[in-house]
Amino acid sequence: MSSIRPYRPADRADVYDICVRTGASGGDARGLYSVDDLIPDVFAGPYLEYQPDLAFVVDTGERVAGYVLAAADSVAFADWYDAHWLPGFRERYPLEKAPTPKERDAIGFGLDQHEAIVPEVDRFPAHLHIDLLPELQGQGFGRRLIRELLAALRERGVPGVFLRMSPANTGAMAFYRRLGFEELPSSRPDAPALAISTDAEV
C-alpha cells in the first residue's frame, strides 16, 4: 500500500531516478544527455541538501515512486546554491564541453537559479518541484503531495509557492489547474509560471 511520508537520505537514489524518468517534459530523459544525473543535479539534488525537511515522497513499500521538493525562501535558496552547489555543478558540467545544444540548455538551467525566481516572489516566496512515475499518476498522490507541502509551508509562515514548467508538459498544466494554481502575470507561453497560496484548499 503506497503512502506519503517525509524524505529520508536513503531515498536519494530513488528521487534521482524519478527525476530522470520524468525529466523530458514528463517523459523519460534517460540517455538524452551525456550524464543522466544532469537533470536531477539541477532539479532535485540541491533541494535534498538545502531543505530536506520540505521534501515528501510516495513510498510504495518497495521503493519511492514520487516526490515533491521545495525551498521555502527562493531568494535565500538561490544565494545558497551559488555559494555551495554551483561550484561543484560547474566542475561536473562545463558548459563549453556540452556535446549538444539541448545539453547546453539543460546546463544553463543549473547555472543561474536567480533567473528562475518570479517577479511576484514577495507574494509567493517558495517554489516547488513535483514528479510521479507513471505507475502512480492519476491516483491522487500528486494532490496529496501538494497538500502535504502546503501545510508544511503554512506552518513556517510562508504565504505562497510558485513553480515554473515546460510548456510542452500539457498533462502537468492540467494537473496544476485542477488544484487551483493560477498563472502569474509574469508567465509567458514559452515559460509558464504558476502559483498558489499556502492556505488554498487542494
Side-chain angles (χ1 to χ4, degrees):
M1 185 74 171
S2 298
S3 60
I4 291 174
R5 61 166 173 79
Y7 166 81
R8 302 169 188 157
D11 301 327
R12 189 178 189 276
D14 281 346
V15 169
Y16 261 56
D17 182 57
I18 296 161
C19 192
V20 176
R21 292 209 274 156
T22 57
S25 298
D28 197 335
R30 286 176 295 183
L32 289 185
Y33 305 102
S34 56
V35 179
D36 276 347
D37 277 356
L38 171 57
I39 295 300
D41 272 347
V42 177
F43 297 109
Y47 298 88
L48 300 177
E49 187 165 324
Y50 177 72
Q51 206 154 32
D53 58 324
L54 281 179
F56 301 93
V57 301
V58 183
D59 189 336
T60 68
E62 297 179 355
R63 60 162 294 162
V64 164
Y67 63 76
V68 65
L69 315 171
D73 182 331
S74 298
V75 176
F77 169 76
D79 290 343
W80 171 88
Y81 185 102
D82 286 353
H84 299 280
W85 190 266
L86 187 56
F89 182 85
R90 276 205 182 105
E91 188 175 326
R92 288 191 299 278
Y93 307 106
L95 188 63
E96 66 277 7
K97 293 186 178 179
T100 64
K102 187 177 184 69
E103 185 151 334
R104 196 171 303 115
D105 288 346
I107 293 171
F109 282 117
L111 294 178
D112 191 354
Q113 288 292 325
H114 286 275
E115 176 66 26
I117 298 173
V118 297
E120 300 88 349
V121 70
D122 287 346
R123 289 175 54 216
F124 304 100
H127 70 279
L128 69 84
H129 297 287
I130 181 171
D131 288 301
L132 292 166
L133 291 181
E135 68 202 62
L136 288 186
Q137 293 172 13
Q139 300 177 45
F141 287 109
R143 183 183 295 270
R144 289 171 57 192
L145 283 169
I146 294 292
R147 193 178 292 149
E148 194 83 24
L149 176 64
L150 293 183
L153 290 171
R154 196 163 57 242
E155 287 175 8
R156 289 161 171 77
V158 179
V161 57
F162 76 87
L163 61 90
R164 289 187 178 275
M165 60 172 291
S166 164
N169 196 344
T170 54
M173 177 65 83
F175 165 74
Y176 296 128
R177 293 277 197 199
R178 285 196 302 273
L179 265 59
F181 282 77
E182 296 185 359
E183 284 200 62
L184 292 170
S186 62
S187 182
R188 305 192 315 264
D190 64 322
L194 296 86
I196 195 168
S197 157
T198 58
D199 62 7
E201 293 292 334
V202 299

